[in-house]
């Protein structure tokens, strides 16, 4: 298990519609510090908020009160790829790294007092891999622990296209963890259904897939577009091509996600919490 102090700082750049107290800007009236305007005492009967100066200025002699917006919670969902390509890894599988990342996300969300849920997908979305939003995400934590030792027989990502149907109605912050070894058209089809939400694509690769490759030997690879596995006999020319293909793939994924205003966050083996904090500071304007 990860240290519970291992977390990152995040924020949203829209006003939360949640009624539950939290740490994000919202449109909910309450005891917060964000000034939202004035109202008369009859419409907003809170004597603690009486504005003497505004009341004196009113020619109609109405008693005015200050209105403030409270800080509210926002829904957060973790979406994890359960397909077979995530089982790859030498020291640790992508499932294990995905579980570690999800655990750090859980620490961070709990610290913010936000609601958290979990959805796993491969060829479908199985109810056994769904945890509803909760401010005490016990089931989410169970699934994250289960993810660590998951073994998948499905190479399909068909469930990815249907994930929008399982999300909350209110705008949600979605951490989407996958290696995205799938056709770009499928990624675009899924993203087009998620436009009302804010997605953080966490692209999880393993350096042994494309870096530090042996000069000679056999290597099993999975095609990013078709999901089909094949065996290559490595030689210098093939090694260079693999590295070039991954570089091209990275650029294509960046362009695809940016098109939907979802900047990707690439992880090559190790997840750095500080880098995720910097990601939010760069792309999410509070």
């Amino acid at each position: 298990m990860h240290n519970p102090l291992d977390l990152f700082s995040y924020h949203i750049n829209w006003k939360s519609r949640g009624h539950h107290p939290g740490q994000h800007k919202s449109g909910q009236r309450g005891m917060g510090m964000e000034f939202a305007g004035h109202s008369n005492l009859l419409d907003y009967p809170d004597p603690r908020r009486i504005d003497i100066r505004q009341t004196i200025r009113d020619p109609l002699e109405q008693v005015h009160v200050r209105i403030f917006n409270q800080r509210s919670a926002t829904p957060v969902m973790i979406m994890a790829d359960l397909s077979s390509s995530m089982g790859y890894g030498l020291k640790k599988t992508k499932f294990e790294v995905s579980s570690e990342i999800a655990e750090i996300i859980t620490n961070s969300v709990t610290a913010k007092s936000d609601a958290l849920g979990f959805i796993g997908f491969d060829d479908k979305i199985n109810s056994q891999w769904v945890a509803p939003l909760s401010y005490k995400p016990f089931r989410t934590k169970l699934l994250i622990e289960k993810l660590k030792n998951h073994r998948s027989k499905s190479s399909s990502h068909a469930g990815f296209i249907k994930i929008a149907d399982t999300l909350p109605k209110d705008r949600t912050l979605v951490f989407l963890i996958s290696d995205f070894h799938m056709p770009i058209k499928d990624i675009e089809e899924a993203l087009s259904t998620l436009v009302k939400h804010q997605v953080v694509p966490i692209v999880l690769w393993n350096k042994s897939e494309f870096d530090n490759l042996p000069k000679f030997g056999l290597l099993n690879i999975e095609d990013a577009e078709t999901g089909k596995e094949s065996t290559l006999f490595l030689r210098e020319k093939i090694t260079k091509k693999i590295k070039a293909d991954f570089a091209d793939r990275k650029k294509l994924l960046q362009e695809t996600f940016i098109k939907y205003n979802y900047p990707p966050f690439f992880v090559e083996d190790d997840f750095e919490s500080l880098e995720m904090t910097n990601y939010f500071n760069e792309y999410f304007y509070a």
Side-chain angles (χ1 to χ4, degrees):
M1 297 290 286
H2 258 273
N3 187 328
L5 297 179
D6 192 356
L7 46 80
F8 56 86
S9 177
Y10 68 94
H11 51 266
I12 59 175
N13 54 7
W14 66 91
K15 287 191 174 182
S16 170
R17 297 176 60 184
H19 295 277
H20 196 280
Q23 299 183 30
H24 306 284
K25 288 183 179 180
S26 78
Q28 300 294 332
R29 300 290 185 255
M31 298 299 291
M33 299 299 292
E34 182 186 354
F35 180 65
H38 288 94
S39 180
N40 64 64
L41 186 60
L42 292 177
D43 292 337
Y44 201 83
D46 187 351
R48 295 169 299 176
R49 300 290 191 177
I50 291 176
D51 188 329
I52 301 297
R53 290 185 178 181
Q54 189 71 16
T55 299
I56 293 173
R57 293 192 191 105
D58 189 346
L60 300 179
E61 299 183 347
Q62 294 188 81
V63 178
H64 290 259
V65 293
R66 295 188 184 95
I67 300 175
F68 293 84
N69 289 337
Q70 72 172 22
R71 290 271 171 167
S72 296
T74 197
V76 180
M77 293 295 295
I78 298 172
M79 291 190 168
D81 186 346
L82 303 177
S83 63
S84 57
S85 66
M86 295 290 286
Y88 178 83
L90 298 181
K91 294 181 180 179
K92 287 186 288 190
T93 68
K94 294 176 190 175
F95 284 129
E96 290 177 271
V97 180
S98 179
S99 176
E100 291 174 1
I101 294 172
E103 190 175 339
I104 295 172
I105 293 172
T106 300
N107 293 342
S108 306
V109 172
T110 302
K112 283 274 192 182
S113 301
D114 286 331
L116 180 67
F118 183 97
I119 300 169
F121 65 89
D122 45 27
D123 60 333
K124 60 183 179 180
I125 297 174
N126 190 315
S127 59
Q128 294 181 347
W129 281 98
V130 175
L133 282 173
S134 175
Y135 292 100
K136 295 181 179 180
F138 178 71
R139 177 160 173 76
T140 289
K141 292 178 180 179
L142 288 178
L143 292 180
I144 290 172
E145 185 64 24
K146 182 180 176 182
L147 177 64
K148 189 181 300 182
N149 299 308
H150 184 57
R151 298 292 180 267
S152 176
K153 297 180 180 179
S154 172
S155 62
S156 169
H157 302 80
F160 181 40
I161 300 171
K162 302 174 183 177
I163 55 178
D165 298 335
T166 62
L167 286 173
K169 293 181 180 179
D170 288 342
R171 192 173 189 187
T172 301
L173 178 61
V174 179
F175 290 93
L176 177 56
I177 309 173
S178 173
D179 56 13
F180 295 97
H181 286 347
M182 61 187 82
I184 290 295
K185 64 178 180 64
D186 290 350
I187 296 175
E188 291 191 321
E189 184 176 350
L191 295 182
S192 68
T193 67
L194 298 172
V195 290
K196 70 173 287 186
H197 305 289
Q198 183 61 56
V199 179
V200 177
I202 299 178
V203 185
L204 183 55
W205 285 352
N206 191 299
K207 280 189 175 180
S208 61
E209 293 179 283
F210 59 92
D211 198 13
N212 299 324
L213 295 171
K215 292 184 177 179
F216 299 97
L218 296 177
L219 179 70
N220 293 322
I221 64 169
E222 181 174 324
D223 188 279
E225 290 291 324
T226 64
K228 293 182 179 179
E229 289 189 355
S230 59
T231 302
L232 291 178
F233 178 72
L234 288 180
R235 52 189 186 276
E236 188 174 359
K237 183 179 179 181
I238 296 296
T239 299
K240 287 182 178 179
K241 184 179 186 306
I242 290 173
K243 290 184 178 181
D245 286 348
F246 265 88
D248 290 343
R249 179 70 179 181
K250 184 174 185 177
K251 182 179 179 182
L252 181 57
L253 285 174
Q254 286 173 325
E255 292 172 349
T256 301
F257 288 122
I258 290 295
K259 187 191 304 183
Y260 291 88
N261 199 29
Y262 302 147
F265 183 87
F266 284 84
V267 177
E268 296 175 0
D269 294 335
D270 295 316
F271 178 87
E272 298 291 341
S273 297
L274 179 58
E275 290 182 9
M276 180 58 84
T277 297
N278 293 337
Y279 169 94
F280 274 91
N281 290 338
E282 180 176 359
Y283 295 113
F284 287 68
Y285 306 105

